Amino acid sequence: MQTVYVLNGPNLNLLGKRQPEIYGYETLADVEATCREIADDAGLTLKFHQSNAEHQLIDWIHEAREDAVGIIINPAAYTHTSVAILDALKTCDMPIFEVHISNVHQRESFRHHSYVSLAASGVIAGCGTQGYELALHRLIRLLQA
Ligand code: CA2
């Protein structure tokens, strides 16, 4: 079975528990359950992870490089700071989708720039947690093409 990685960066473990006015009421476990349903229906294996540590996210990207057909990543604050995550993603020869729950372009100017976008096939922002589903559907479409 083909494997897809969904990776989540720092503080996203708090999803649904703090700042619902920005990030909504769904928890990361809810997001994982929805992604798993979509992946199961498409016959894909889903690896879903969250870490607050940059090196851990990079290690998972290296893993994905070896055994995945696509990556969906919400790098959270590392989006705006991490050349290391960008470099890791650039070694992956597969579709990569960057997801942001909030509309980063409507927020502080430091959130307007993304290093990760340089490696992304597509970017989804401001669609709430549904952004993960949209990215997964797009990835499935690409895999079936
Ligand atoms: O909108 C997004 O998905 C972000 O990637 C979320 C990051 C932020 O730094 C980016 O600029 C945009 C922050 C993730 C923090 O997640 C929390 C979730 C619930 C409560 C508190 C933080």
Side-chain angles (χ1 to χ4, degrees):
M1 284 230 281
Q2 293 180 313
T3 301
V4 168
Y5 276 62
V6 179
L7 301 178
N8 295 279
N11 298 307
L12 284 165
N13 51 311
L14 298 177
L15 204 61
K17 299 170 184 163
R18 297 271 186 285
Q19 295 183 272
E21 67 288 357
I22 302 177
Y23 299 113
Y25 287 94
E26 271 207 324
T27 65
L28 204 58
D30 295 330
V31 174
E32 177 173 359
T34 306
C35 288
R36 211 162 276 293
E37 246 176 63
I38 296 168
D40 283 354
D41 285 350
L44 294 169
T45 298
L46 187 83
K47 298 218 174 151
F48 192 101
H49 299 298
Q50 185 275 331
S51 178
N52 296 324
E54 191 174 24
H55 72 88
Q56 177 63 81
L57 293 163
I58 292 167
D59 286 348
W60 284 326
I61 293 167
H62 290 175
E63 237 179 66
R65 207 179 151 264
E66 298 296 328
D67 74 348
V69 293
I71 298 173
I72 293 167
I73 183 165
N74 182 348
Y78 289 137
T79 307
H80 320 297
T81 62
S82 181
V83 176
I85 289 177
L86 168 64
D87 286 345
L89 289 169
K90 279 203 154 176
T91 71
C92 300
D93 190 17
M94 64 189 73
I96 295 167
F97 289 94
E98 177 184 346
V99 171
H100 298 290
I101 298 163
S102 65
N103 180 356
V104 282
H105 301 290
Q106 210 172 52
R107 300 181 65 190
E108 304 96 321
S109 60
F110 66 82
R111 296 185 204 275
H112 298 177
H113 177 261
S114 164
Y115 285 102
V116 169
S117 292
L118 289 165
S121 319
V123 181
I124 295 169
C127 295
T129 50
Q130 192 190 356
Y132 290 86
E133 297 169 43
L134 298 171
L136 194 47
H137 283 301
R138 174 67 183 156
L139 185 54
I140 290 164
R141 173 78 68 89
L142 291 179
L143 294 173
Q144 287 168 348

